[in-house]
Amino acid sequence: MQDLRQPAHHRSRGSSRLASLFLVLAVMLGLAGGTSTAATDHTAEPARSAIRVPARAMDAVAAMQPSWNLGNTLDAIPHEENWGNPKVTRDLFTTIRGEGFRSVRIPVTWSDHQSATAPYTVDAAYMSRVKEVVDWALDEGLYVVLNVHHDSWQWIKKMPADHDGVLARFNSTWAQISETFREEPRTLLFESVNEPQFENATAEQKAQLLHELNTSFHKIVRSSGGGNSDRLLVLPTDGCTPSQNFMDDLYTTIKSLNDRHLIATVHYYSWYPFSINIAGGTHYDEAARNDLDDAFARMRDTFVARDIPVYLGEYGLLGYPDHNHPSRVERGEALKYYEHFGHAARLAGVTTALWDPGTWAYLNRETLKWTDPALIAWIKAGWTTRSGTASFDKVFVPKSEPITAKGVTLNLNGTRFRGLWHGKTELVEGRDYTLWDKTRLVLTAGALTRLTGDREYGVNATLQARFSRGLPWQIEVVTSDEPVLSDATGRTDAFTIPTQYKGDVLATMEARYGDGGNAGQTDWTPYQEFNKSFKPDYPNDAIVLTPEFLDALRDGEPVTLTFHFYSGEKLMYHVKKSADSVTGTRVTPAS
């Protein structure tokens, strides 16, 4: 994943061991031996691990499910703790194993710990640290995937302009890694490069360059001997993207290598508009569901059905979870994605690795506790079964109107609805709710009157829809009214719109000029990106328009903003920038 790109170009140089340097020079001079294509099957060394690695690659990758990423750590730039996570300890892997994960991917960025000129020596202390972390994970009985990570966009992408230099550095890097880890058990896998990319190149050139990197990686590892002679090797598509043309290219490469110990890898972060909440992607709708189904169908048909295993090296949502910022993705919609993802992966026979950037997302690396246990419960449930969901996880009850019956549509996902609970109390069908055609769940006016109580704005009650299997679906009963926006003045570096939310939740914002053109830094859609162009500030009763959004507006030209809320309410607002000053005016229905 490339979510943090703040490289500080400080390089740590040092001398490598003589044996590593000799192998590097041998590979660069073409003196290394040929490719092994039919190595003898064997199991992992009992002294290192109780895991008996299946001889067949498909079975070995299946045994790695589920998987987890040690993200933003050894791949951080320039050092392990620079992206907000503490130094790794063995206890971390004890925790991960105890939580049911069977493998870990350990991304490593080498460039700041490697000389930038031949022979591209990796600092011995850094190599030792990587090995220490890998060994801890192996000793905990986990499969480990080790790779070359952010190097992909730091220097490998320059291969079109510096073909020989990049290839020599890539080869040297893998020669040193191969030598260091050559006697590790087969529970250690190598991945050639994370999300490879090439600048200023045609599609055909990119395909050829990636083929060259993957085949060179394969030759170097196999030539290094020892446990590397039949180690499972992971090869990526262009950008680790699961597009059909990229997967076809990778399939061609894998078949050409004639090696039954190869694995294909891609990443999946959902349909882009939904994943970051842009272009109106506020719900896990049909477009998002189809994108996921199609991606897994391609993985299955291109690789799995042809006996090539797929290790989906990263998944999640690009904008969720992030406990340091307002949530871009509505919680229930995110849960529907994770539930669907787990089901589709199981159907396709794909092993999946959760991308965990650390403390602000999934696992708090300080406490070794999940930041959001309920979210992890949904992810875990998807490993083995389906759960029922609904069209939304909130029922909005307007305070300014008489209470009437309201409901949601259940997504049974192959389950059977068992009932509705409020705490330990089971609601009564017919009195508290009705169920139409097995899927339309409607709360009666009487039940909503009782549940909303004194009708204070916000969540008044949380219900559980329970199903014949899987997790219950939570439904929040929310008292709300139409939000109120107020006039404001400010500057481009600090402008907020006073907002009375009245229990509602902000979903997205449209921005248009008077001629209908899109306004803001995202010019291909009127729906701007959540947290990048605007964000709610619920504690301070405001909506923040970011400096990036305001700086992108045309000077002196009015812009109409339309704020969409999850209750269905839509409010319009005018802003105009004049130099570094900004004025905002609410639009009333009569104006």
Side-chain angles (χ1 to χ4, degrees):
M1 187 176 184
Q2 300 172 15
D3 54 336
L4 290 175
R5 297 192 179 188
Q6 302 292 334
H9 298 291
H10 303 299
R11 298 190 183 279
S12 176
R13 295 178 173 86
S15 60
S16 67
R17 292 174 299 175
L18 182 60
S20 296
L21 181 56
F22 178 81
L23 181 59
V24 171
L25 295 173
V27 170
M28 293 172 63
L29 294 172
L31 299 177
T35 301
S36 169
T37 59
T40 304
D41 297 326
H42 66 272
T43 58
E45 293 294 331
R48 286 298 313 273
S49 172
I51 297 176
R52 295 181 61 85
V53 181
R56 185 168 170 261
M58 189 72 73
D59 297 331
V61 174
M64 293 168 62
Q65 173 69 1
S67 192
W68 177 85
N69 272 274
L70 181 66
N72 288 10
T73 306
L74 292 179
D75 58 313
I77 299 169
H79 301 296
E80 183 175 345
E81 297 174 272
N82 283 146
W83 285 359
N85 288 312
K87 290 180 71 69
V88 180
T89 65
R90 180 165 174 173
D91 288 344
L92 171 64
F93 298 114
T94 304
T95 297
I96 288 300
R97 177 70 180 178
E99 290 291 334
F101 292 93
R102 295 295 172 257
S103 60
V104 295
R105 181 171 177 255
I106 300 181
V108 180
T109 301
W110 303 88
S111 57
D112 282 286
H113 309 275
Q114 179 185 39
S115 62
T117 57
Y120 310 105
T121 304
V122 175
D123 179 71
Y126 187 68
M127 183 69 82
S128 178
R129 173 58 177 165
V130 173
K131 188 174 188 303
E132 179 180 49
V133 172
V134 168
D135 285 345
W136 283 337
L138 292 171
D139 289 342
E140 287 297 327
L142 293 159
Y143 286 81
V144 174
V145 178
L146 178 66
N147 77 355
V148 168
H149 204 75
H150 291 304
D151 308 80
S152 60
W153 57 265
Q154 288 192 294
W155 53 271
I156 293 174
K157 72 175 184 179
K158 301 174 184 178
M159 193 172 180
D162 183 20
H163 175 275
D164 293 349
V166 169
L167 183 60
R169 184 172 181 178
F170 180 81
N171 289 347
S172 172
T173 303
W174 271 112
Q176 294 174 75
I177 297 170
S178 297
E179 173 63 19
T180 300
F181 294 93
R182 70 191 298 272
E183 299 306 332
E184 299 281 14
R186 286 184 76 235
T187 43
L188 174 63
L189 292 73
F190 292 158
E191 174 191 342
S192 66
V193 57
N194 171 73
E195 297 183 357
Q197 55 183 276
F198 307 97
E199 60 185 9
N200 302 320
T202 66
E204 292 75 16
Q205 289 170 333
K206 291 177 182 178
Q208 178 55 39
L209 292 171
L210 181 55
H211 173 80
E212 189 172 4
L213 288 182
N214 277 333
T215 54
S216 187
F217 158 77
H218 177 263
K219 180 178 181 180
I220 289 168
V221 175
R222 289 289 181 254
S223 298
S224 63
N228 294 333
S229 62
D230 63 349
R231 189 173 306 285
L232 293 164
L233 302 181
V234 184
L235 307 182
T237 62
D238 186 343
C240 287
T241 304
S243 300
Q244 187 62 58
N245 57 327
F246 295 155
M247 291 197 290
D248 287 341
D249 290 339
L250 179 58
Y251 174 79
T252 299
T253 295
I254 290 175
K255 293 303 291 183
S256 72
L257 292 172
N258 191 29
D259 184 337
R260 57 198 178 95
H261 301 297
L262 301 183
I263 299 162
T265 189
V266 295
H267 298 168
Y268 188 75
Y269 284 99
S270 189
W271 188 57
Y272 182 72
F274 172 70
S275 192
I276 67 168
N277 192 347
I278 196 173
T282 57
H283 289 74
Y284 191 60
D285 58 12
E286 184 178 9
R289 294 192 300 272
N290 288 344
D291 187 85
L292 185 146
D293 284 333
D294 291 347
F296 276 102
R298 293 192 298 270
M299 297 176 216
R300 179 197 63 217
D301 295 344
T302 308
F303 297 118
V304 179
R306 294 165 162 175
D307 208 33
I308 298 171
V310 174
Y311 177 74
L312 198 155
E314 295 181 17
Y315 77 89
L317 292 170
L318 294 172
Y320 181 95
D322 179 355
H323 301 291
N324 292 334
H325 298 92
S327 185
R328 291 178 180 232
V329 181
E330 200 279 332
R331 182 178 180 81
E333 302 305 294
L335 296 184
K336 286 190 277 188
Y337 159 74
Y338 287 108
E339 194 282 332
H340 185 199
F341 179 93
H343 172 67
R346 285 186 288 112
L347 284 183
V350 170
T351 289
T352 59
L354 178 67
W355 176 259
D356 191 344
T359 298
W360 52 268
Y362 297 100
L363 186 70
N364 185 311
R365 306 275 178 84
E366 298 283 357
T367 65
L368 298 183
K369 301 292 184 182
W370 297 115
T371 303
D372 187 343
L375 171 59
I376 292 298
W378 274 85
I379 292 172
K380 287 184 175 183
W383 297 343
T384 57
T385 191
R386 296 221 70 176
S387 297
T389 65
S391 54
F392 205 54
D393 65 349
K394 294 176 178 60
V395 171
F396 289 94
V397 184
K399 185 175 183 178
S400 59
E401 302 174 6
I403 293 177
T404 59
K406 296 185 178 297
V408 296
T409 299
L410 301 177
N411 305 313
L412 295 176
N413 297 329
T415 70
R416 177 175 52 82
F417 177 70
R418 288 184 48 235
L420 192 63
W421 272 258
H422 180 215
K424 297 181 179 179
T425 302
E426 183 176 5
L427 274 62
V428 178
E429 185 173 5
R431 184 194 70 188
D432 300 319
Y433 70 90
T434 56
L435 186 65
W436 301 94
D437 296 327
K438 299 183 179 180
T439 60
R440 183 61 185 171
L441 179 67
V442 178
L443 292 163
T444 65
L448 289 173
T449 299
R450 185 175 72 253
L451 292 168
T452 54
D454 60 7
R455 306 193 74 182
E456 181 180 354
Y457 287 133
V459 178
N460 303 137
T462 301
L463 309 179
Q464 279 192 352
R466 299 182 185 177
F467 302 88
S468 55
R469 66 174 185 271
L471 296 178
W473 179 257
Q474 290 196 349
I475 302 171
E476 295 179 337
V477 177
V478 181
T479 292
S480 67
D481 271 327
E482 181 182 284
V484 176
L485 309 179
S486 298
D487 297 350
T489 59
R491 304 179 68 83
T492 54
D493 61 352
F495 182 79
T496 61
I497 302 171
T499 305
Q500 299 176 47
Y501 284 95
K502 295 189 175 183
D504 217 331
V505 182
L506 184 62
T508 189
M509 178 189 82
E510 292 180 77
R512 289 186 171 90
Y513 291 110
D515 61 6
N518 301 329
Q521 67 268 54
T522 305
D523 60 4
W524 55 274
T525 173
Y527 291 91
Q528 298 298 294
E529 183 177 346
F530 200 104
N531 279 348
K532 291 291 187 181
S533 297
F534 69 98
K535 55 187 174 183
D537 183 353
Y538 297 111
N540 293 306
D541 299 317
I543 295 174
V544 177
L545 299 185
T546 67
E548 293 79 9
F549 171 75
L550 294 168
D551 287 342
L553 299 183
R554 299 199 289 258
D555 198 66
E557 191 165 344
V559 174
T560 298
L561 307 179
T562 304
F563 292 102
H564 296 250
F565 296 82
Y566 279 108
S567 68
E569 298 285 358
K570 292 192 292 185
L571 299 179
M572 299 180 72
Y573 195 83
H574 290 156
V575 294
K576 185 168 70 172
K577 179 184 74 170
S578 298
D580 60 356
S581 296
V582 182
T583 58
T585 308
R586 62 175 297 196
V587 179
T588 62
S591 64

